[in-house]
Amino acid sequence: MFTGIVEERGEIVARDDLDQAARFSIRGPLVTSDARHGDSIAVNGVCLTVVDIADGVFTVDVMAETLRRSSLSHLLPGSMVNLERAMPANGRFGGHVVQGHVDGVGEIEFITPAEHWTVVRIKVPAQLSRYIVEKGSITIDGTSLTVSAVGPECIEVSLIPTTLAETILGLAQTGDPVNLEVDVIAKYVERLTQADRAETGTRAAQKASDDDE
């Protein structure tokens, strides 16, 4: 599990395209300082498993399903990425509950700089809109952010100078794809509500059948 507090901006130093997969080598001196084989590191919000570490560079394997469902397919040597180690059990919970399971890919529509913050508007997939609320939490490229506005199939977030300086969102441009993970609590609530409605419908149908006998 992660919290969406990016620890450093890493750099893709190598990419090897394999059969139905890709292998990335990523420079991240901070996140590799105590990393071991098998550890989880979020790369632009995607939970990946460390398969090798050497001299501040770690290697991960990314299967085709992950490449298809995230923006990692766009990464090339020289690309900058957000990095976060998995949260330790005794760590600070600085952001919100982040699983590292991308729900969809959005697209940056507008970037509007202001004196003390920058407003970013992002087009979101239609199927994710119902999980997003104003002042709620969302993960964008692994960064825990508060939604400042919600529109038809788009959202806005406001980025402070620290976020711009310490995450790749400070390098973002209009048209860039971004990984989105909505609040997992909203998904569980929806699932439980659907199950409850289905159970209620089943009981009602059974009662009607009993009454007809």
Side-chain angles (χ1 to χ4, degrees):
M1 188 181 73
F2 306 91
T3 70
I5 303 301
V6 174
E7 295 186 272
E8 68 176 325
R9 291 200 295 206
E11 180 183 359
I12 304 295
V13 296
R15 170 176 175 161
D16 295 320
D17 289 307
L18 311 171
D19 182 27
Q20 298 295 308
R23 173 168 288 189
F24 292 97
S25 295
I26 305 168
R27 180 175 292 110
L30 176 59
V31 299
T32 58
S33 62
D34 62 352
R36 298 174 297 178
H37 176 85
D39 282 354
S40 296
I41 295 178
V43 179
N44 282 358
V46 181
C47 178
L48 298 174
T49 301
V50 175
V51 298
D52 194 19
I53 311 168
D55 301 323
V57 174
F58 69 99
T59 302
V60 293
D61 289 328
V62 184
M63 60 184 176
E65 175 76 359
T66 304
L67 292 171
R68 184 176 67 84
R69 290 179 173 268
S70 74
S71 66
L72 297 188
S73 58
H74 297 270
L75 297 179
L76 298 170
S79 297
M80 304 301 291
V81 291
N82 289 330
L83 301 176
E84 181 191 356
R85 289 168 290 188
M87 178 184 172
N90 62 346
R92 287 184 180 276
F93 211 115
H96 70 283
V97 176
V98 177
Q99 295 182 298
H101 303 160
V102 172
D103 293 303
V105 178
E107 179 181 321
I108 295 180
E109 290 189 322
F110 296 103
I111 300 174
T112 308
E115 184 178 0
H116 300 295
W117 62 82
T118 293
V119 176
V120 179
R121 178 180 294 177
I122 299 171
K123 182 179 180 180
V124 302
Q127 68 271 21
L128 297 185
S129 296
R130 64 182 182 273
Y131 301 115
I132 305 172
V133 297
E134 187 174 333
K135 303 305 179 185
S137 296
I138 191 167
T139 309
I140 300 176
D141 272 346
T143 307
S144 173
L145 295 168
T146 300
V147 178
S148 56
V150 179
E153 296 189 13
C154 72
I155 63 170
E156 289 185 356
V157 292
S158 298
L159 309 180
I160 61 174
T162 297
T163 303
L164 295 170
E166 297 184 4
T167 77
I168 64 168
L169 294 177
L171 307 174
Q173 298 180 5
T174 300
D176 283 353
V178 290
N179 291 324
L180 303 174
E181 182 183 331
V182 298
D183 191 345
V184 66
I185 295 175
K187 292 187 289 185
Y188 278 123
V189 168
E190 179 185 62
R191 178 65 174 169
L192 289 169
T193 302
Q194 289 174 341
D196 199 39
R197 285 200 298 264
E199 185 178 346
T200 299
T202 300
R203 288 199 302 266
Q206 183 62 51
K207 184 178 185 303
S209 176
D210 293 342
D211 290 343
D212 290 339
E213 293 179 357

